[in-house]
């Protein structure tokens, strides 16, 4: 039997599982670094005659006992239709038998694993005395990151900015009410950058919103929002060059991340400048932050192995809690 998990099912299962999600994502990156998981770069399929692109994000893991593929549809024209620009679904099969174990809606899986990866990277790379969290962007990804980063951590305040003032105020109020943290809306991206010890950029920007000249020694940046397209980025070339760059996966960054591909094309970066993966740092194979004055940059476009980690966790939780629908795909 195949388990079907809808968006509402997944929200129910994730409600009290923040630490489990973070642990699962962290372990997936360690497994990758130690050769226990497979993560090929995702092929892109541009749709002829449109700006739409479909990405096939595959992964396999021995410890998780799964192989998964997420089909991600990145359709900018959906914005004009009032529809999500990105939609996805995750198919999970047994790594041992190939039996189809589950089909999951991808929206909440993507948000949760993305925010969890940021939390893992921040714990590994940020200064221990970081006290101000900065958010650029006010959409669902920003809420997911606030939920992942704030509870139980030592931040004293949050500073944020988004293009729409009303949404910025709504996010600040939500952070105060739901998460109990003081949040201030700033006048623009520069004000957020200059106030933040840890900065998260969470916008689907094509042009850089953050300038290297604004960065200060000791900051940690999570560049998370830009879609997996080589012409989109949130941090300019100077900002990337000034930073110690850690990527979620080198092969993916080498084909999908504008943050590294544009500086590479300009000759400002070399291949060796972004070969360090998050799993290498977590497994102790590479150093992360080397001093309190380092500017560290976690560049993430999201990888299929993180989806696999969430699929494993959600399948197990669903079986334990009796959530989801079971169907017989084949006899």
């Amino acid at each position: 039997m195949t388990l079907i998990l809808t968006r509402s099912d997944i929200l129910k299962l994730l409600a009290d599982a923040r630490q489990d999600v973070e642990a699962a994502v962290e372990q997936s990156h360690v497994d990758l670094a130690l050769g226990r998981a497979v993560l090929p770069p995702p092929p892109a399929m541009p749709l002829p005659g449109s700006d739409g692109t479909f990405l096939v994000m595959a992964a396999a893991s021995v410890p998780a006992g799964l192989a998964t593929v997420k089909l991600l549809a990145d359709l900018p024209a959906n914005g004009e239709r009032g529809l999500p620009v990105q939609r996805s679904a995750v198919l999970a099969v047994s790594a041992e038998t190939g039996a189809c174990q589950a089909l999951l809606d991808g929206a909440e899986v993507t948000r949760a694993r993305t925010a969890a990866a940021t939390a893992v990277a921040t714990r590994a790379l940020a200064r221990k005395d970081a006290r101000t969290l900065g958010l650029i962007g006010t959409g669902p990804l920003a809420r997911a990151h606030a939920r992942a980063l704030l509870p139980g951590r030592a931040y004293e305040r949050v500073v944020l900015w988004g293009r729409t003032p009303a949404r910025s105020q709504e996010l600040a109020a939500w952070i105060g009410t739901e998460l109990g943290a003081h949040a201030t809306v700033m006048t623009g991206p520069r004000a957020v950058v200059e106030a933040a010890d840890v900065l998260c950029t969470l916008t689907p920007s094509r042009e850089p919103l953050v300038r290297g000249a604004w960065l200060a020694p000791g900051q940690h940046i999570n560049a998370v929002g830009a879609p997996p397209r080589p012409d989109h980025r949130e941090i300019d070339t100077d900002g990337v060059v000034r930073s110690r760059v850690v990527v979620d996966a080198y092969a993916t960054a080498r084909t999908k991340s504008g943050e590294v591909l544009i500086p590479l094309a300009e000759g400002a970066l070399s291949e060796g400048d972004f070969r360090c993966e998050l799993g290498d740092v977590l497994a102790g194979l590479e150093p992360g932050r080397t001093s309190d004055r380092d500017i560290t940059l976690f560049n993430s476009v999201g990888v299929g192995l993180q989806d696999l980690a969430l699929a494993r966790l959600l399948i197990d939780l669903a079986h334990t809690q009796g959530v989801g629908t079971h169907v017989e795909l084949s006899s």
Side-chain angles (χ1 to χ4, degrees):
M1 301 292 283
T2 299
L3 173 68
I4 308 295
L5 292 177
T6 66
R7 180 175 183 269
S8 59
D9 292 333
I10 292 168
L11 283 170
K12 180 179 180 180
L13 293 169
L14 291 177
D16 298 313
R18 179 180 66 86
Q19 291 183 335
D20 292 334
V21 171
E22 190 173 322
V25 169
E26 178 173 3
Q27 187 60 52
S28 72
H29 281 279
V30 172
D31 289 338
L32 180 63
L34 298 181
R36 300 191 292 239
V38 180
L39 181 65
M45 300 181 292
L47 191 65
S50 81
D51 58 357
T53 296
F54 296 86
L55 274 81
V56 182
M57 303 175 67
S61 168
V62 172
L66 287 180
T68 60
V69 60
K70 181 170 78 174
L71 181 61
L72 171 65
D74 184 35
L75 303 171
N78 268 3
E80 300 174 2
R81 305 182 183 113
L83 299 172
V85 171
Q86 290 190 345
R87 284 175 158 171
S88 60
V90 181
L91 177 69
V93 305
S94 167
E96 180 179 1
T97 69
C100 183
Q101 292 199 350
L103 177 64
L104 304 84
D105 178 75
E108 295 304 325
V109 169
T110 301
R111 290 189 191 112
R113 57 83 151 152
T114 302
T118 295
V120 170
T122 300
R123 179 160 39 84
L125 298 171
R127 294 193 335 264
K128 303 307 178 186
D129 63 347
R131 294 294 179 266
T132 301
L133 174 65
L135 306 174
I136 295 178
T138 57
L141 194 58
R143 294 197 179 208
H145 274 71
R147 190 181 290 113
L149 288 167
L150 286 171
R153 307 189 197 265
Y155 297 112
E156 296 172 352
R157 64 170 181 151
V158 180
V159 292
L160 63 92
W161 174 85
R163 295 185 187 277
T164 306
R167 292 184 67 180
S168 299
Q169 293 294 342
E170 288 173 5
L171 178 60
W174 178 84
I175 288 172
T177 301
E178 296 295 322
L179 303 177
H182 178 69
T184 303
V185 177
M186 308 299 275
T187 56
R190 180 170 186 170
V192 174
V193 174
E194 292 180 343
D197 299 314
V198 172
L199 173 69
C200 301
T201 60
L202 306 161
T203 72
S205 182
R206 180 187 291 267
E207 299 300 326
L209 292 171
V210 173
R211 304 291 173 184
W214 305 343
L215 300 178
Q219 283 182 311
H220 172 65
I221 304 102
N222 300 296
V224 179
R229 292 179 177 236
D231 60 344
H232 285 60
R233 59 175 175 166
E234 299 175 288
I235 316 296
D236 73 358
T237 295
D238 183 45
V240 175
V241 169
R242 292 188 62 197
S243 302
R244 170 159 174 72
V245 180
V246 176
V247 298
D248 45 16
Y250 168 78
T252 301
R254 184 65 182 83
T255 58
K256 304 299 178 192
S257 173
E259 249 87 23
V260 297
L261 289 174
I262 294 172
L264 185 63
E266 293 172 346
L269 278 186
S270 68
E271 296 275 352
D273 292 323
F274 62 96
R275 280 194 175 272
C276 182
E277 298 183 350
L278 178 58
D280 297 330
V281 176
L282 297 173
L285 304 176
E286 293 285 347
R289 172 175 294 277
T290 61
S291 79
D292 284 345
R293 292 188 59 81
D294 283 350
I295 300 173
T296 51
L297 170 62
F298 175 54
N299 176 231
S300 174
V301 291
V303 292
L305 190 59
Q306 296 165 352
D307 300 314
L308 184 151
L310 261 288
R312 176 75 278 164
L313 175 63
L314 288 165
I315 291 168
D316 293 343
L317 290 174
H319 287 316
T320 300
Q321 300 179 25
V323 173
T325 303
H326 288 85
V327 299
E328 188 172 358
L329 290 184
S330 60
S331 56

